[in-house]
Amino acid sequence: MASKSAVFVLLMVVVAVAAPIAVAQTGILDNPLSVIRIQGTVFCSINATLNGTASPVFPNALVQLRCRSGNVVSISTTNRLGVFGILVLPIQISLPSLLSDCNLIVTTPLVRCNATLPSVGVLRSPLQSVGNTTVGLLRVFNVAPTGFVYVLSP
Ligand SMILES: *[C@@H]1O[C@H](CO)[C@@H](O)[C@H](O)[C@H]1NC(C)=O
Ligand SMILES: *[C@@H]1O[C@H](CO)[C@@H](O)[C@H](O)[C@H]1NC(C)=O
Ligand SMILES: *[C@@H]1O[C@H](CO)[C@@H](O)[C@H](O)[C@H]1NC(C)=O
Ligand SMILES: *[C@@H]1O[C@H](CO)[C@@H](O)[C@H](O)[C@H]1NC(C)=O
């Protein structure tokens, strides 16, 4: 009798302890208190992975977040330092699908920042996870371009 109820109590404890852990592990990207922050710098160069830091930046450039089948999910513009930022909610698009299905596309032609560069084509970069931070209760998944490279069509 006593051992039966002890087993029952033990089971309840195991369920109570295990349940939140399972939720925390599988539901982390569905947490309404989380956001994906995409941030980066666009350089005035046909291949920023070559040596981005050596090139001047590309201010006032339109940056699109494009996902599977060309869907434009969000748009941003670089500031005078060439920096842009885009916020995406994990309920809109999960982090894994963002990293595998989306690209950043700079649609403003390079000729706008340097007259000797092409007047057609775009800069394109895949995305990478660069670290997760917490701001109060908010979980922030930080994402950055791997490097913009010139292509004729996105
Ligand atoms: C851009 O530069 C990287 C690093 O040097 C190189 O691996 C890559 O092939 C270049 N891409 C293009 C399209 O030139
Ligand atoms: C990129 O350019 C900067 C500035 O000219 C230089 O200091 C740095 O070594 C270069 N990096 C590479 C990987 O070539
Ligand atoms: C413009 O682009 C050309 C070709 O890449 C480069 O040689 C030149 O230094 C650039 N000019 C400026 C002002 O960045
Ligand atoms: C950030 O968290 C996500 C989800 O847990 C994970 O997939 C990703 O690798 C993490 N990024 C880094 C840079 O640790």
Side-chain angles (χ1 to χ4, degrees), residues 25 28-29 95-96 99 128-133 139-142:
Q25 279 175 349
I28 208 154
L29 293 175
L95 183 63
L99 298 179
Q128 61 185 333
S129 173
V130 292
N132 302 320
T133 50
R139 251 189 93 99
V140 182
F141 301 99
N142 294 292

Side-chain angles (χ1 to χ4, degrees), residues 7 12 14 27 35 39 45 51 56 59 64-65 67 71 79 94 97 99 105 107 110 121 127 130-131 133 136 150-151:
V7 167
M12 291 306 287
V14 167
V35 69
Q39 196 171 302
S45 159
N51 193 341
Q64 297 180 338
L65 175 65
C67 298
N71 260 0
N79 65 13
S94 74
S97 39
L99 298 179
I105 307 288
T107 53
L110 277 165
L127 295 162
V130 292
T133 50
Y150 174 76
V151 287

Side-chain angles (χ1 to χ4, degrees), residues 42-52 54-58 106 108-111 113-125 147-152:
V42 180
F43 294 94
C44 186
S45 159
I46 56 163
N47 189 346
T49 62
L50 207 56
N51 193 341
S55 304
V57 297
F58 193 168
V106 180
T108 307
L110 277 165
V111 69
C113 64
N114 182 332
T116 70
L117 294 178
S119 58
V120 293
V122 299
L123 291 172
R124 181 178 66 194
S125 174
F148 288 99
V149 171
Y150 174 76
V151 287
L152 257 179

